[in-house]
Amino acid sequence: MQTVSNKKRGWSLRDVIFLSVIAIFFGVIYQVWGISYNVIAATPLKPFANDLTLGVWIMAGPLAGIMLQKVGATTIGELLAATVEMFLFSQWGAANIISGLVQGFASELGFAATGYKNWSKLGLLFSTITATIVSFIWDLFQSGYMEYHFSLLVGLFVIRFISIGFFAGVLVYWINALVVKSGLLKK
């Protein structure tokens, strides 16, 4: 006799709809958040603008990951949110898709490091660490960070880690806790 596990591994229609809602919601937030980047970039803090604001642009992936608890949800959630942002006439255009893929994959690596078994604080901590490291390496080449002095690179890395840690770690954890408390995610 075949038994069916209570925790389905495949994607349900409910999962896809929920992922779409997260992507649309954050795509809009990402588009509006671009104003914060532009304001900071118009000041002497311009070299820090990307790292100060990046945490918000990484939120969709980890939120999708911990809410859906599916392999690939983090990458897909971030990629879809970046795509929505692009379609809302983002100032970065199609580059959003590449950034979304890199950021989503970087966050996904954190959950993969736990063997996709920890979708809470530890998974988010690893997701924050991997997102910081991978996205920073990406910006070394893509955004010209290689031209900066070592002391500035250290400062940017620390600021990036704090930004991602707060927005894509702590804030995502709190949002998930509120959604779970609301009963919306009963499985």
Side-chain angles (χ1 to χ4, degrees):
M1 181 165 132
Q2 185 178 17
T3 60
V4 178
S5 168
N6 287 340
K7 189 171 182 178
K8 289 174 45 177
R9 292 197 184 271
W11 287 75
S12 68
L13 179 59
R14 181 177 173 266
D15 294 334
V16 172
I17 291 170
F18 208 78
L19 185 64
S20 300
V21 169
I22 291 170
I24 293 168
F25 179 76
F26 276 98
V28 172
I29 288 174
Y30 291 176
Q31 176 65 2
V32 173
W33 189 245
I35 296 168
S36 299
Y37 172 87
N38 292 333
V39 167
I40 295 169
T43 72
L45 295 174
K46 182 178 183 170
F48 301 97
N50 186 47
D51 299 277
L52 284 167
T53 59
L54 189 61
V56 171
W57 276 304
I58 293 185
M59 289 178 70
L63 188 63
I66 65 171
M67 286 187 167
L68 298 175
Q69 299 182 7
K70 305 276 186 197
V71 173
T74 305
T75 302
I76 296 168
E78 192 63 46
L79 179 61
L80 290 176
T83 303
V84 170
E85 179 188 8
M86 180 197 70
F87 282 123
L88 293 173
F89 303 104
S90 166
Q91 63 188 341
W92 294 283
N96 278 12
I97 295 174
I98 298 167
S99 293
L101 182 61
V102 169
Q103 293 164 359
F105 177 74
S107 295
E108 182 93 29
L109 288 175
F111 296 113
T114 70
Y116 293 103
K117 296 194 185 331
N118 190 313
W119 296 97
S120 191
K121 291 177 183 175
L122 183 63
L124 281 172
L125 173 62
F126 284 174
S127 178
T128 296
I129 292 168
T130 57
T132 301
I133 293 169
V134 172
S135 68
F136 196 79
I137 291 169
W138 170 256
D139 278 331
L140 281 172
F141 300 100
Q142 192 270 335
S143 298
Y145 280 28
M146 294 288 277
E147 300 300 319
Y148 292 152
H149 293 285
F150 182 75
S151 58
L152 179 57
L153 288 173
V154 170
L156 291 172
F157 185 85
V158 169
I159 290 168
R160 180 178 296 230
F161 180 69
I162 292 168
S163 177
I164 293 173
F166 177 72
F167 290 108
V170 174
L171 197 55
V172 162
Y173 180 80
W174 289 342
I175 292 168
N176 183 61
L178 289 172
V179 172
V180 168
K181 188 176 180 180
S182 76
L184 185 63
L185 286 178
K186 287 184 181 176
K187 296 190 178 206

